[in-house]
Structures are given as structure tokens and as C-alpha cells.
Amino acid sequence: MTRQKKEILKKIEEMDNWIAADMELGCGFAPADAYEGMEREIWRLQEQLARLRHFETAEAMFYDERGQVAGMI
């Protein structure tokens, strides 16, 4: 895995963890669009990661079934 991919994954994980911690500590009292900016940034990073992994879009990367074992539930 390239360094750039690792850095993107690390940024995504940090933002996801921050949102989860804020939701946990704030007991869900944040306004509805409080995390919208971070979620847009996460999505932008997901798109960038998908291109680095040779996918056209993040959706294609998420729904890729290659390498999955048949019959798994």
C-alpha cells in the first residue's frame, strides 16, 4: 500500500473517530448539519482513495465483490 493511501485512510479514521466521540460525549445534541462539512471531506477522501485503488468512484470501490468467498453470509 502506498504512503498516500495510508495517509488518506488515517485521515478518514481520525475524522470518523472524532465524529463518533463528539456524538457520544454530546449525547446526540448536535444540530442536524453539525458534521456535514466533515462528512463531505470524508467523502472527498474516499473518492481520492478509490482513484488510487483504480476504481472509477467510491461506490464502485465499496461494492466491489472481487476476493469475497462465495457462500459467505
Side-chain angles (χ1 to χ4, degrees):
M1 184 179 306
T2 66
R3 180 181 180 98
Q4 188 176 10
K5 290 178 195 175
K6 287 181 184 179
E7 289 175 4
I8 291 171
L9 288 169
K10 183 178 177 182
K11 288 178 188 177
I12 291 170
E13 182 179 11
E14 287 174 358
M15 285 190 268
D16 278 337
N17 289 340
W18 190 90
I19 291 171
D22 192 58
M23 289 178 72
E24 184 76 25
L25 294 172
C27 300
F29 290 115
D33 60 349
Y35 308 114
E36 187 176 339
M38 287 187 105
E39 290 169 348
R40 271 192 258 120
E41 178 65 13
I42 289 171
W43 189 253
R44 187 189 67 75
L45 290 169
Q46 292 285 8
E47 289 287 341
Q48 187 177 1
L49 182 63
R51 284 190 300 276
L52 290 172
R53 290 180 172 174
H54 308 288
F55 290 97
E56 291 182 27
T57 63
E59 289 94 0
M61 179 177 68
F62 293 137
Y63 293 113
D64 183 36
E65 295 179 355
R66 292 179 288 171
Q68 294 183 7
V69 178
M72 294 284 298
I73 294 176

